[in-house]
Each structure stands twice: as C-alpha cells, then as structure tokens.
Amino acid sequence: CSSDLEEKMKDIFPDAEIEQNESVFSLKHKNLNLEDTKQILKITQNTAGELAGGSTNIDINTSQKNFIFFKKYFYRIDLDLNSIQGVENLELIFKIIHPNKATLTNKNNSKLEISKNLLIWNLNQGQVNSLEFSFWSINKLLIGISTILIIIVLAYLLRLYRFKLGTDLPQLPSK
C-alpha cells in the first residue's frame, strides 16, 4: 500500500522530494504559497484515502491582520480522521514549517511540539484533529521603501541646511 502511495505521489508531484522507509512516508515540497499547499494537501489526502479505502477531510482557514510594518497570520486546520480507526502501528505526524515562531491560539492540543519555526503535530486516528496557531511577519517591502524615503529626506535636509549655513572655506576670487 505504501509503495503504491509513493508511486502515485511521484506521478502527481514529480518535483517533490519523496522519502519512504518501513514506517515513514515523507513528502517535501519547498517554497509553496498557501493556495498551492492547500491543493497539495487535498490531493495527498484523496490519494491516501483511495489507497486506504477510507476518506478523510482537511479544512484550512486562514486570515491575516495588517499593521503598518507587520502582518499577523492566523491559521486553523481541521483534519477529519474518523474513517481511519483501529490501524495498529499507525502514527500520523503533520509538520508545518513557517517563517517565524508560532503562537498557539487553542492551547488544548497536548500532542503538539513547537520549536523555533517548526510545528510537529501528532494526529489521533478516529477523530477530528484541530490546530489553531498564528505568527508575525515583517512587511519587508514597506520597511525598505520607508528606509529609502527617510534617507532621501535626510540627504535633502542636510544639503539645504548646509548651503544656508555656508562654509568657512575661503572663497576663490572671481573675475
């Protein structure tokens, strides 16, 4: 079953890094935006569900709040594993890599490890697993534009006041 999953996933995602050994199946796909990530998760979930003879449902809700120089992203992930029950030696782990340290919104999740920019979520079979988290991100473009504008204004003011004050250098005689 797992080699069938690996073959199907390689056909669907030829650029992804897929690793498999006896007990672990790992699919790594780098530099994805949120919409691509949702699409890949849906395809993975449907493919695994077909091969396992059950179905699962994943729902990802996102929102963001914009502040002047920062953005705060909010995520809620619901993964329905009700159809996967009683499978021995099945450990489901969901790893999320994000740009900055995440803060949990829902503190009820005991099967969660957080380190720097990685969330490791151990899923439970036969139930709906939920995760809510948020993280901050810097608006690099706005900070860059603001820095350039400040430098331009400072250079202009320096030039303006320097000419108003004059210099103590001797003047060359004019003809």
Side-chain angles (χ1 to χ4, degrees):
C1 176
S2 59
S3 63
D4 293 339
L5 177 63
E6 181 182 11
E7 288 174 23
K8 275 194 160 192
M9 297 310 284
K10 281 184 179 178
D11 290 342
I12 296 169
F13 307 113
D15 297 335
E17 196 177 307
I18 297 175
E19 297 174 15
Q20 182 176 0
N21 62 31
E22 292 175 13
S23 62
V24 176
F25 175 81
S26 172
L27 178 122
K28 293 179 186 175
H29 214 303
K30 296 181 180 178
N31 300 324
L32 295 174
N33 63 30
L34 184 61
E35 289 306 313
D36 290 343
T37 302
K38 285 181 182 180
Q39 193 64 29
I40 285 176
L41 286 171
K42 287 280 186 194
I43 292 168
T44 304
Q45 155 203 327
N46 291 337
T47 305
E50 282 174 21
L51 292 172
S55 65
T56 59
N57 187 27
I58 188 166
D59 188 27
I60 302 173
N61 295 312
T62 61
S63 62
Q64 72 182 31
K65 286 187 180 178
N66 293 323
F67 299 94
I68 295 173
F69 293 110
F70 300 96
K71 290 181 183 180
K72 188 167 188 178
Y73 294 91
F74 298 90
Y75 289 86
R76 178 177 171 85
I77 302 170
D78 294 314
L79 187 56
D80 183 1
L81 298 176
N82 283 322
S83 63
I84 301 175
Q85 295 185 48
V87 179
E88 290 183 27
N89 299 323
L90 177 63
E91 185 178 14
L92 300 169
I93 301 172
F94 199 86
K95 291 183 181 180
I96 302 167
I97 301 171
H98 46 84
N100 296 314
K101 184 167 175 57
T103 306
L104 285 181
T105 309
N106 182 0
K107 306 267 188 206
N108 297 336
N109 204 329
S110 60
K111 293 192 166 205
L112 187 67
E113 298 171 37
I114 301 177
S115 64
K116 227 172 191 178
N117 66 338
L118 178 67
L119 287 173
I120 302 172
W121 183 22
N122 292 304
L123 303 171
N124 298 317
Q125 319 176 33
Q127 67 185 51
V128 176
N129 295 269
S130 294
L131 174 65
E132 288 184 50
F133 66 96
S134 64
F135 62 89
W136 288 91
S137 178
I138 297 173
N139 190 341
K140 294 175 186 170
L141 180 64
L142 189 58
I143 289 176
I145 290 171
S146 299
T147 303
I148 290 169
L149 289 175
I150 289 170
I151 290 171
I152 290 171
V153 168
L154 287 175
Y156 175 76
L157 291 174
L158 181 66
R159 190 177 132 221
L160 180 70
Y161 286 115
R162 187 170 159 236
F163 283 125
K164 278 188 178 179
L165 294 175
T167 61
D168 292 335
L169 297 175
Q171 299 291 320
L172 293 173
S174 61
K175 291 184 180 181

